[in-house]
Amino acid sequence: MTLPSALHYFPAPTTQAFCSQCGNPLTRLVPPDDNRERDVCNHCGAVHYRNPLIVVGTVPVWNDQILLCRRAIEPRYDTWTLPAGFMELSETTSQGAMRETDEEAGADITLGRLFTVLDVPRVNQVHMYFLATVTSERLDPGPESLEAKFFKLDDIPWDELSFRTVSHTLKLYLQDRTSGVFTTHYHSIE
Amino acid sequence: MTLPSALHYFPAPTTQAFCSQCGNPLTRLVPPDDNRERDVCNHCGAVHYRNPLIVVGTVPVWNDQILLCRRAIEPRYDTWTLPAGFMELSETTSQGAMRETDEEAGADITLGRLFTVLDVPRVNQVHMYFLATVTSERLDPGPESLEAKFFKLDDIPWDELSFRTVSHTLKLYLQDRTSGVFTTHYHSIE
């Protein structure tokens, strides 16, 4: 039997009502040897943990300019972001960062060092940005970007950036560029 | 109605058969505007993404000794590990690293810098270790540890360590200790 196609697809919310293994309703309880409530299936015994997600991206630099993408999707439609997105299975963080840069900007890059690791506990995410050198002026933004564009350092649209992790990473980039020493920065954004 | 308790609880496998939102069977397909197959519910439209998990831990140092825990759980029962575990919702990576150090070793620590970020794509994980200074000799290992113990640097049980991320992090610790400069290291463990 082929199931009918849904008319509208949406990311499954983090609230879980049914067991992914057997389809029965879930219960909230503290499993044996655990210390916090989980979504548990009392029919088959499956415990459904939920954990933070990783967002990976790059700070792509072309001569003295930064590559930003204007978002074609929510949240923060029509604001400027560094290329970034959710890390996928079976890839490394650096592979994910390169993939997102390709998908969102179509930019050719050489990846540099891991630059920022930023906790965003309010949304259960950790964002990781790598430095990158753009190797060709040609861009080819994908469907998640309205536009991809190089900005001179003085022209970064600070008031139209998408996320605090983006502005934080860009500020640290300018700071390290001034000092001449690029390191890996870890911060929590509350 | 109260559901009967399962006799045996287990972590839900990553393979998903039923929708967590409505309980109907899932289908594998590439959703609109996506580029890879996902677990999709054609009844309610929920797309069930799966993503890598974050493991957080510490390198706890007491004078010139390293604190290791002998695992009381699988995988790698009865081998030595740095205190670490899965990052939980609503915490930062550093909070998670401190929590795991408390749960597995009962050690009082002062957290230091983010030290290693290690991709383990084979198991869809990213491991993050922080340096830590132990502030009291008193230990109180929890149910996931058979024992918690300080090892002199020359006595680290290299052949009985639990995971490659643990041995890799310890080697980098000894290396940076020799050079006198501790930095944040990023590597992929294939």
Side-chain angles (χ1 to χ4, degrees):
Chain A
M1 185 187 90
T2 304
L3 289 165
S5 292
L7 290 174
H8 169 66
Y9 292 100
F10 61 96
T14 51
T15 305
Q16 308 172 112
F18 297 91
C19 177
S20 66
Q21 304 302 301
C22 72
N24 278 283
L26 295 175
T27 307
R28 291 288 291 177
L29 60 81
V30 181
D33 300 328
D34 201 343
N35 54 21
R36 65 186 71 198
E37 280 199 341
R38 311 286 182 181
D39 295 321
V40 172
C41 178
N42 271 329
H43 182 80
C44 75
V47 181
H48 299 268
Y49 297 96
R50 290 170 43 211
N51 301 89
L53 296 178
I54 302 171
V55 169
V56 286
T58 60
V59 185
V61 180
W62 167 258
N63 297 332
D64 286 335
Q65 298 176 83
I66 305 264
L67 173 59
L68 297 176
C69 301
R70 194 152 60 90
R71 284 173 68 84
I73 53 172
E74 294 292 352
R76 304 291 289 146
Y77 177 92
D78 195 23
T79 56
W80 292 95
T81 185
L82 291 165
F86 288 111
M87 185 179 176
E88 297 277 5
L89 298 183
S90 302
E91 69 183 7
T92 64
T93 49
S94 53
Q95 287 168 348
M98 286 190 284
R99 176 183 52 70
E100 288 290 343
T101 308
D102 180 52
E103 288 178 6
E104 299 196 350
D108 295 325
I109 59 167
T110 302
L111 206 69
R113 70 171 301 133
L114 175 61
F115 183 59
T116 52
V117 177
L118 302 170
D119 295 316
V120 196
R122 192 179 57 81
V123 291
N124 296 309
Q125 294 175 359
V126 178
H127 291 215
M128 296 172 57
Y129 282 94
F130 291 78
L131 297 183
T133 303
V134 182
T135 55
S136 151
E137 204 168 4
R138 188 195 62 85
L139 300 176
D140 180 20
E144 296 189 7
S145 302
L146 298 169
E147 181 182 3
K149 187 174 150 185
F150 294 106
F151 286 84
K152 290 182 189 159
L153 301 183
D154 289 341
D155 295 339
I156 291 171
W158 293 103
D159 294 337
E160 299 165 59
L161 295 178
S162 303
F163 304 109
R164 284 177 63 193
T165 52
V166 171
S167 55
H168 202 79
T169 296
L170 286 171
K171 278 177 199 163
L172 289 166
Y173 175 77
L174 295 184
Q175 183 182 303
D176 280 11
R177 194 181 163 100
T178 301
S179 74
V181 182
F182 290 91
T183 60
T184 303
H185 301 268
Y186 166 71
H187 294 285
S188 295
I189 295 186
E190 303 292 349
Chain B
M1 186 187 87
T2 303
L3 290 164
S5 291
L7 291 174
H8 170 66
Y9 292 100
F10 62 96
T14 51
T15 305
Q16 307 173 111
F18 296 92
C19 177
S20 67
Q21 304 302 302
C22 72
N24 279 282
L26 296 175
T27 307
R28 290 289 289 177
L29 60 80
V30 181
D33 300 327
D34 202 343
N35 53 21
R36 63 186 71 198
E37 281 199 339
R38 311 285 182 184
D39 294 321
V40 172
C41 178
N42 270 330
H43 182 80
C44 74
V47 181
H48 299 268
Y49 296 95
R50 290 169 44 212
N51 301 90
L53 296 178
I54 302 171
V55 170
V56 286
T58 59
V59 184
V61 180
W62 167 258
N63 297 330
D64 286 335
Q65 299 176 85
I66 305 264
L67 173 59
L68 297 176
C69 301
R70 195 152 60 90
R71 284 173 68 84
I73 52 172
E74 295 292 351
R76 305 289 290 147
Y77 178 92
D78 197 22
T79 56
W80 292 95
T81 186
L82 291 165
F86 288 111
M87 184 179 176
E88 297 278 6
L89 297 183
S90 302
E91 69 184 6
T92 64
T93 48
S94 54
Q95 286 167 347
M98 286 189 283
R99 177 183 51 71
E100 289 290 342
T101 307
D102 179 52
E103 287 178 6
E104 299 196 350
D108 295 324
I109 59 167
T110 302
L111 207 68
R113 69 173 302 135
L114 175 61
F115 183 58
T116 52
V117 177
L118 302 170
D119 295 316
V120 197
R122 191 178 58 80
V123 292
N124 296 310
Q125 294 176 0
V126 178
H127 292 216
M128 297 173 56
Y129 282 95
F130 291 79
L131 297 182
T133 304
V134 182
T135 55
S136 152
E137 205 168 3
R138 188 196 62 85
L139 301 176
D140 180 18
E144 296 189 7
S145 303
L146 297 169
E147 182 182 3
K149 187 174 149 185
F150 294 105
F151 287 84
K152 290 182 189 160
L153 301 183
D154 289 339
D155 295 339
I156 291 172
W158 294 104
D159 295 337
E160 298 166 57
L161 295 178
S162 303
F163 304 109
R164 286 177 62 194
T165 51
V166 171
S167 55
H168 202 79
T169 296
L170 287 171
K171 280 177 197 162
L172 289 166
Y173 175 77
L174 296 184
Q175 184 183 301
D176 279 12
R177 194 182 163 99
T178 301
S179 74
V181 182
F182 290 90
T183 60
T184 303
H185 301 268
Y186 166 72
H187 295 285
S188 294
I189 294 187
E190 303 292 349

